[in-house]
Amino acid sequence: IDGLRERLARAEEALSNLRATSDASSTELKQRCDDADRERADEREMRARLDERVSALELSTEATQTRTTNALDDLTREHGFVLEWRARAEEQIRGLQQVDA
């Protein structure tokens, strides 16, 4: 009986050690999972901020392209007016030269 009690005591001690090891492992695993969850949340937040910046940049680029296109259209129209005025002025000059001749 003494041998059984001794083996039972050792088994209970081993079980207690296993429980302690299991609890420590569970705590460590939970901590790692929590850390991973925080890292994923941080990554999602960074991606969201990056997406916002990319969207803002795309809008800014589009607005710049629109302004550039509008400016080119304005210059083209003005150039057309200048060419038209020049043609009229040359016509008037020719008319005046014919009158002087």
Side-chain angles (χ1 to χ4, degrees):
I1 290 190
D2 287 338
L4 286 176
R5 284 185 184 152
E6 187 178 314
R7 288 189 353 199
L8 179 61
R10 280 186 282 164
E12 286 174 346
E13 183 180 344
L15 179 60
S16 177
N17 289 340
L18 284 174
R19 282 185 181 147
T21 301
S22 174
D23 289 346
S25 294
S26 294
T27 300
E28 183 182 343
L29 180 59
K30 183 180 181 324
Q31 183 62 44
R32 285 183 180 178
C33 288
D34 290 345
D35 290 347
D37 287 344
R38 274 192 297 279
E39 287 177 14
R40 281 191 293 274
D42 289 346
E43 185 178 315
R44 279 192 301 272
E45 183 179 332
M46 286 191 303
R47 281 185 184 170
R49 283 191 298 220
L50 183 59
D51 287 345
E52 288 174 7
R53 288 180 182 169
V54 167
S55 294
L57 182 59
E58 287 172 345
L59 290 174
S60 174
T61 301
E62 185 176 324
T64 300
Q65 288 174 341
T66 299
R67 285 194 305 272
T68 302
T69 300
N70 290 343
L72 286 173
D73 289 347
D74 290 345
L75 286 173
T76 301
R77 264 192 308 281
E78 289 175 18
H79 182 67
F81 292 140
V82 167
L83 290 178
E84 185 179 325
W85 292 336
R86 179 179 173 186
R88 286 183 188 168
E90 288 173 349
E91 207 175 291
Q92 288 177 355
I93 290 171
R94 277 194 300 275
L96 290 174
Q97 287 172 343
Q98 288 176 355
V99 169
D100 283 343

Tab-separated table of all heavy atoms in Angstrom, residues 1-27:
chain	number	residue	atom	x	y	z
A	1	ILE	N	0.835	-1.191	0.000
A	1	ILE	CA	0.000	0.000	0.000
A	1	ILE	C	0.877	1.251	0.000
A	1	ILE	O	0.549	2.233	-0.663
A	1	ILE	CB	-0.947	-0.008	1.229
A	1	ILE	CG1	-1.961	-1.094	1.005
A	1	ILE	CG2	-1.573	1.326	1.422
A	1	ILE	CD1	-3.104	-1.093	1.968
A	2	ASP	N	1.979	1.203	0.784
A	2	ASP	CA	2.862	2.368	0.814
A	2	ASP	C	3.414	2.670	-0.578
A	2	ASP	O	3.554	3.842	-0.961
A	2	ASP	CB	4.020	2.140	1.795
A	2	ASP	CG	3.570	2.216	3.248
A	2	ASP	OD1	2.515	2.841	3.483
A	2	ASP	OD2	4.267	1.671	4.108
A	3	GLY	N	3.716	1.641	-1.324
A	3	GLY	CA	4.225	1.817	-2.684
A	3	GLY	C	3.179	2.458	-3.582
A	3	GLY	O	3.486	3.314	-4.426
A	4	LEU	N	1.918	2.054	-3.394
A	4	LEU	CA	0.837	2.633	-4.189
A	4	LEU	C	0.645	4.113	-3.835
A	4	LEU	O	0.419	4.944	-4.711
A	4	LEU	CB	-0.467	1.876	-3.962
A	4	LEU	CG	-0.551	0.498	-4.615
A	4	LEU	CD1	-1.855	-0.190	-4.234
A	4	LEU	CD2	-0.465	0.621	-6.118
A	5	ARG	N	0.733	4.389	-2.515
A	5	ARG	CA	0.561	5.787	-2.091
A	5	ARG	C	1.685	6.663	-2.681
A	5	ARG	O	1.450	7.797	-3.101
A	5	ARG	CB	0.588	5.870	-0.558
A	5	ARG	CG	-0.693	5.406	0.040
A	5	ARG	CD	-0.685	5.622	1.533
A	5	ARG	NE	-1.913	5.056	2.081
A	5	ARG	CZ	-2.040	4.590	3.288
A	5	ARG	NH1	-1.012	4.618	4.115
A	5	ARG	NH2	-3.183	4.096	3.702
A	6	GLU	N	2.878	6.098	-2.654
A	6	GLU	CA	4.013	6.852	-3.191
A	6	GLU	C	3.841	7.082	-4.698
A	6	GLU	O	4.068	8.173	-5.208
A	6	GLU	CB	5.316	6.091	-2.926
A	6	GLU	CG	6.554	6.872	-3.301
A	6	GLU	CD	7.814	6.094	-2.978
A	6	GLU	OE1	7.927	5.523	-1.882
A	6	GLU	OE2	8.676	6.073	-3.886
A	7	ARG	N	3.424	6.059	-5.423
A	7	ARG	CA	3.189	6.198	-6.865
A	7	ARG	C	2.049	7.157	-7.145
A	7	ARG	O	2.112	7.951	-8.086
A	7	ARG	CB	2.912	4.827	-7.484
A	7	ARG	CG	4.204	4.024	-7.531
A	7	ARG	CD	4.197	2.748	-8.282
A	7	ARG	NE	2.949	2.232	-8.811
A	7	ARG	CZ	2.767	0.978	-9.170
A	7	ARG	NH1	3.753	0.114	-9.040
A	7	ARG	NH2	1.635	0.563	-9.656
A	8	LEU	N	1.011	7.105	-6.291
A	8	LEU	CA	-0.113	8.036	-6.444
A	8	LEU	C	0.355	9.469	-6.201
A	8	LEU	O	-0.019	10.381	-6.950
A	8	LEU	CB	-1.247	7.665	-5.474
A	8	LEU	CG	-2.476	8.579	-5.507
A	8	LEU	CD1	-3.123	8.563	-6.890
A	8	LEU	CD2	-3.470	8.165	-4.441
A	9	ALA	N	1.177	9.679	-5.191
A	9	ALA	CA	1.700	11.016	-4.888
A	9	ALA	C	2.534	11.526	-6.073
A	9	ALA	O	2.418	12.699	-6.473
A	9	ALA	CB	2.520	10.992	-3.602
A	10	ARG	N	3.372	10.653	-6.637
A	10	ARG	CA	4.188	11.057	-7.790
A	10	ARG	C	3.308	11.341	-9.007
A	10	ARG	O	3.553	12.296	-9.753
A	10	ARG	CB	5.217	9.984	-8.125
A	10	ARG	CG	6.434	10.069	-7.192
A	10	ARG	CD	7.507	9.103	-7.611
A	10	ARG	NE	7.070	7.783	-7.134
A	10	ARG	CZ	7.535	6.616	-7.523
A	10	ARG	NH1	8.468	6.564	-8.435
A	10	ARG	NH2	7.086	5.488	-7.038
A	11	ALA	N	2.282	10.552	-9.191
A	11	ALA	CA	1.361	10.765	-10.316
A	11	ALA	C	0.619	12.086	-10.148
A	11	ALA	O	0.434	12.841	-11.114
A	11	ALA	CB	0.387	9.600	-10.426
A	12	GLU	N	0.187	12.364	-8.897
A	12	GLU	CA	-0.510	13.627	-8.640
A	12	GLU	C	0.431	14.816	-8.859
A	12	GLU	O	0.040	15.845	-9.409
A	12	GLU	CB	-1.077	13.651	-7.226
A	12	GLU	CG	-2.300	12.763	-7.064
A	12	GLU	CD	-2.791	12.679	-5.613
A	12	GLU	OE1	-2.045	13.084	-4.693
A	12	GLU	OE2	-3.922	12.220	-5.427
A	13	GLU	N	1.681	14.667	-8.443
A	13	GLU	CA	2.658	15.734	-8.660
A	13	GLU	C	2.919	15.935	-10.149
A	13	GLU	O	2.976	17.070	-10.643
A	13	GLU	CB	3.966	15.393	-7.940
A	13	GLU	CG	5.006	16.496	-8.059
A	13	GLU	CD	6.302	16.140	-7.332
A	13	GLU	OE1	6.316	15.229	-6.509
A	13	GLU	OE2	7.301	16.812	-7.638
A	14	ALA	N	3.037	14.830	-10.879
A	14	ALA	CA	3.248	14.918	-12.330
A	14	ALA	C	2.048	15.578	-12.993
A	14	ALA	O	2.198	16.425	-13.885
A	14	ALA	CB	3.500	13.535	-12.907
A	15	LEU	N	0.844	15.211	-12.550
A	15	LEU	CA	-0.381	15.815	-13.090
A	15	LEU	C	-0.409	17.307	-12.786
A	15	LEU	O	-0.754	18.118	-13.654
A	15	LEU	CB	-1.624	15.116	-12.511
A	15	LEU	CG	-2.973	15.657	-12.981
A	15	LEU	CD1	-3.094	15.527	-14.496
A	15	LEU	CD2	-4.101	14.924	-12.279
A	16	SER	N	-0.022	17.668	-11.579
A	16	SER	CA	0.021	19.078	-11.201
A	16	SER	C	1.022	19.835	-12.073
A	16	SER	O	0.744	20.947	-12.538
A	16	SER	CB	0.402	19.204	-9.725
A	16	SER	OG	0.525	20.551	-9.354
A	17	ASN	N	2.186	19.229	-12.298
A	17	ASN	CA	3.188	19.857	-13.173
A	17	ASN	C	2.674	19.994	-14.598
A	17	ASN	O	2.900	21.019	-15.256
A	17	ASN	CB	4.488	19.050	-13.156
A	17	ASN	CG	5.229	19.179	-11.846
A	17	ASN	OD1	5.015	20.126	-11.079
A	17	ASN	ND2	6.104	18.215	-11.563
A	18	LEU	N	1.988	18.963	-15.081
A	18	LEU	CA	1.416	19.028	-16.430
A	18	LEU	C	0.366	20.129	-16.531
A	18	LEU	O	0.301	20.853	-17.525
A	18	LEU	CB	0.802	17.684	-16.821
A	18	LEU	CG	1.786	16.584	-17.201
A	18	LEU	CD1	1.042	15.260	-17.415
A	18	LEU	CD2	2.543	16.953	-18.460
A	19	ARG	N	-0.463	20.254	-15.496
A	19	ARG	CA	-1.475	21.317	-15.495
A	19	ARG	C	-0.816	22.691	-15.506
A	19	ARG	O	-1.244	23.595	-16.229
A	19	ARG	CB	-2.377	21.189	-14.274
A	19	ARG	CG	-3.403	20.108	-14.413
A	19	ARG	CD	-4.350	20.082	-13.229
A	19	ARG	NE	-5.318	18.999	-13.378
A	19	ARG	CZ	-5.825	18.311	-12.382
A	19	ARG	NH1	-5.468	18.585	-11.133
A	19	ARG	NH2	-6.691	17.354	-12.606
A	20	ALA	N	0.221	22.860	-14.701
A	20	ALA	CA	0.934	24.143	-14.660
A	20	ALA	C	1.551	24.449	-16.021
A	20	ALA	O	1.473	25.577	-16.526
A	20	ALA	CB	1.997	24.125	-13.568
A	21	THR	N	2.174	23.437	-16.620
A	21	THR	CA	2.779	23.615	-17.947
A	21	THR	C	1.707	23.930	-18.974
A	21	THR	O	1.877	24.814	-19.823
A	21	THR	CB	3.546	22.342	-18.356
A	21	THR	OG1	4.553	22.079	-17.375
A	21	THR	CG2	4.189	22.498	-19.723
A	22	SER	N	0.584	23.220	-18.891
A	22	SER	CA	-0.527	23.447	-19.815
A	22	SER	C	-1.085	24.856	-19.650
A	22	SER	O	-1.356	25.549	-20.640
A	22	SER	CB	-1.619	22.409	-19.577
A	22	SER	OG	-2.742	22.689	-20.369
A	23	ASP	N	-1.257	25.289	-18.391
A	23	ASP	CA	-1.764	26.641	-18.139
A	23	ASP	C	-0.805	27.696	-18.688
A	23	ASP	O	-1.237	28.674	-19.309
A	23	ASP	CB	-1.979	26.865	-16.635
A	23	ASP	CG	-3.162	26.069	-16.090
A	23	ASP	OD1	-3.972	25.569	-16.903
A	23	ASP	OD2	-3.270	25.953	-14.851
A	24	ALA	N	0.489	27.483	-18.462
A	24	ALA	CA	1.491	28.432	-18.970
A	24	ALA	C	1.471	28.455	-20.495
A	24	ALA	O	1.522	29.528	-21.112
A	24	ALA	CB	2.877	28.063	-18.455
A	25	SER	N	1.370	27.286	-21.098
A	25	SER	CA	1.318	27.218	-22.564
A	25	SER	C	0.057	27.891	-23.087
A	25	SER	O	0.101	28.607	-24.097
A	25	SER	CB	1.358	25.764	-23.039
A	25	SER	OG	2.599	25.178	-22.731
A	26	SER	N	-1.059	27.664	-22.419
A	26	SER	CA	-2.311	28.297	-22.837
A	26	SER	C	-2.221	29.812	-22.718
A	26	SER	O	-2.660	30.546	-23.616
A	26	SER	CB	-3.478	27.798	-21.985
A	26	SER	OG	-3.711	26.440	-22.217
A	27	THR	N	-1.627	30.294	-21.641
A	27	THR	CA	-1.465	31.730	-21.444
A	27	THR	C	-0.560	32.318	-22.520
A	27	THR	O	-0.860	33.358	-23.103
A	27	THR	CB	-0.877	32.019	-20.040
A	27	THR	OG1	-1.780	31.495	-19.054
A	27	THR	CG2	-0.678	33.491	-19.813
